[in-house]
Amino acid sequence: MTESAVDELKSRNLTDEKILVFDFGSQYAQLIARRVREQNVYCEIVRHDLAASVVKAKRPRGIILSGGPASVYQPGAPRCDPELFQLGIPVLGICYGMQLACDSLGGKVSHCTSREYGRVTLTNFAADRLLSGLPDHMDVWMSHGDQVNELSTDFEALATTGTCPFAAVRHRRLAFHGLQFHPEVTHTPLGGTILHNFVYSICGCQGLWHLGDFADRAIATIRQQVGDQRVICGLSGGVDSAVTAALLYRAIGSQLTCILVDNGLLRKDEQAAVISEFTNHFQADLHVVEARDRFLGALAGVTEPQEKRRRIGFHFIECFKAEAAKVQGARFLAQGTLYPDVIESGAAVDGPAATIKLHHNVGGLPDELGFDLIEPLRDLFKDEVRRLGLELGLPELLVWRHPFPGPGLAVRCLGEVTQTKLDVLREADHIVVSEIKAAGLYRQTSQVFAVLLPVQSVGVMGDCRTYENAVAIRSVNTDDFMTADWSRLPYELLARISSRIINEVRGVNRVCYDISSKPPATIEWE
């Protein structure tokens, strides 16, 4: 593909049709962006205080103001540049975003006497492009303690609920619509129609964001960037690194060298599975680094989760660096960084400022490594990566493999990590996943695994008193991994898993099932 063709693909996908989501601290900001992309329109998240002049230079087709936990009338509450509403770019405010816009444009917001949390019935009573094609009454999801209680004469109410008189509004002169409810969550069944109306009918988008085009653009860009140089890519067995390798292999073929660092924290038979999958789908150079003793030594006596992550990340870099030095002519390093990694690490140029957690990929490799970085999946969410993997011809078994944390079993082995505890956890985890697959539920669940707890409890085995380990089973269902609910697994399946673990894994006499959702819990235990 020519350089001009690459530039045309970049422009057509990332500039001509772009929706910006202003993040006011909502747990759903990433979900909004994903829902817009499901409409085949590119969307990215930016910080809430981005200057109107910067926004104008980005030339977005539309802007969405997210929800957030603050109250607009409190001192120090996050606000956007008021000039944003004067740019002529369509703006959709959701929850806090609606309240902020109404407050900025002459309305009043206050704490409501009857808060709304959960599913409510919305009544539409005004014709408008945003609500076009929707029934007069529909279920929507509310989550607010404040609401707009007075509109300026420049606004018109579009819909109401039993306790919220201004559940949907529009400005008569400016290109602004507001929704007190959340169209992005699955609990608003027709929310996709509302977002479709916004990006197509109001913003005038045509739907140019397609993963096939993305793959062509990424492959062409990699070829242009790499030339005849060699690229190193780390393999982990997960879908992100596999799709990264597939893109690279499609772009540069034998110029790719992959490195697998076996840190002793992998799942049962993980190394063999990765080697098998790699050799079946790529004819590229593969280096395997055996580093189990090194990592276990580094983790000796460590119980604090972030310190575990820090030490694992440090030694991974050192191992990777030493192996990479053996690859002649390597100039580039490829990583499977995803868009949520960029956002949550605070690494996006215009993204939210707060760092939510440490990510192994984003900013994790020191400058002295001496490579130029290639991150072909940096603009994608996890579900988009899976669809891209299928586009690239990767097998469904690999593409739909459940996520596995970068620090491996270390963050599922609570407390100090030892070889003995890892052996117990590895066998228990293997039983859990095997039984889920045998029950035909692997694709119906999003992430399933075992956790070894740092407690022991009394049991009776063979008429003898035991004082042994407890294992927790974690199974969640989620579309986006930003929110998740615990899986309602059949009791018979849980009983079979428990029986197998207690009977087959020496050192375990108790199995528990985690019924926590995210939030408030996280998917992983550490």
Side-chain angles (χ1 to χ4, degrees), residues 236-238 260 266-275 401 404:
S236 66
L260 169 64
L266 303 178
R267 289 168 285 198
K268 185 175 182 178
D269 301 326
E270 185 95 41
Q271 183 189 124
V274 173
I275 294 172
R401 193 175 195 186
F404 189 60

Side-chain angles (χ1 to χ4, degrees), residues 23 26 30 306 340 343-346 352-359:
D23 185 4
S26 170
Q30 292 186 27
Q306 285 293 73
I343 295 300
E344 292 182 356
S345 67
T355 298
I356 298 173
K357 60 183 178 180
L358 291 175
H359 279 281

